[in-house]
């Protein structure tokens, strides 16, 4: 059951963030592949924390900010420009967070 819950968060995140990178014109396989890796490394631990320790909005937002910092540093390794790495991380995470929030509200309201 836990694996399914984690995959239900991870797979859409990977697809959304990969799509955001693609829409921003990123075509380098190493950057797109790095996106998959960093999402596994950040999404799974964050969701485990939120499920088992504290799933409040404050923890969610703090976790998302930590993820943006970690992913910015990760992308910096591949794109070599801090501004581009920060833009990638911020836009990818904001988009996946907001889509996830929208989906959860639609499910909650139905």
């Amino acid at each position: 059951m836990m694996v399914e819950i984690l995959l239900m968060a991870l797979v859409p995140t990977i697809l959304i963030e990969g799509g955001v990178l693609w829409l921003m014109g990123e075509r380098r396989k190493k950057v797109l592949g790095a996106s998959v890796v960093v999402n596994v490394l950040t999404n799974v631990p964050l969701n485990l924390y939120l499920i088992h320790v504290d799933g409040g909005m404050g923890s969610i937002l703090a976790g998302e900010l930590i993820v943006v910092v970690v992913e910015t540093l990760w992308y910096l390794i591949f794109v070599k420009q801090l501004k581009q790495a920060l833009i990638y991380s911020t836009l990818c995470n904001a988009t996946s967070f907001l889509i996830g929030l929208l989906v959860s509200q639609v499910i909650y309201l139905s």
Side-chain angles (χ1 to χ4, degrees):
M1 181 77 171
M2 182 59 63
V3 172
E4 291 87 1
I5 292 170
L6 293 172
L7 285 173
M8 285 176 53
L10 178 61
V11 171
T13 299
I14 289 170
L15 294 173
I16 291 165
E17 294 194 17
V20 170
L21 289 171
W22 188 266
L23 288 172
M24 287 192 290
E26 183 58 66
R27 300 294 187 269
R28 292 174 284 186
K29 290 180 182 179
K30 68 178 184 176
V31 175
L32 297 172
S35 173
V36 173
V37 172
V38 79
N39 275 294
V40 172
L41 295 174
T42 57
N43 186 280
V44 173
L46 176 58
N47 282 302
L48 285 170
Y49 176 82
L50 295 173
I51 291 166
H52 293 294
V53 179
D54 180 14
M57 187 54 74
S59 291
I60 293 170
L61 294 175
E64 289 292 338
L65 288 174
I66 292 167
V67 167
V68 167
V69 170
V70 169
E71 291 190 11
T72 297
L73 295 172
W74 179 259
Y75 282 123
L76 184 58
I77 295 168
F78 298 93
V79 300
K80 308 291 189 221
Q81 296 174 352
L82 180 58
K83 183 178 177 181
Q84 185 178 25
L86 181 60
I87 289 169
Y88 278 8
S89 179
T90 303
L91 289 179
C92 285
N93 282 286
T95 303
S96 64
F97 173 76
L98 292 172
I99 290 173
L101 189 61
L102 177 64
V103 168
S104 68
Q105 290 303 305
V106 168
I107 291 169
Y108 176 75
L109 294 174
S110 28

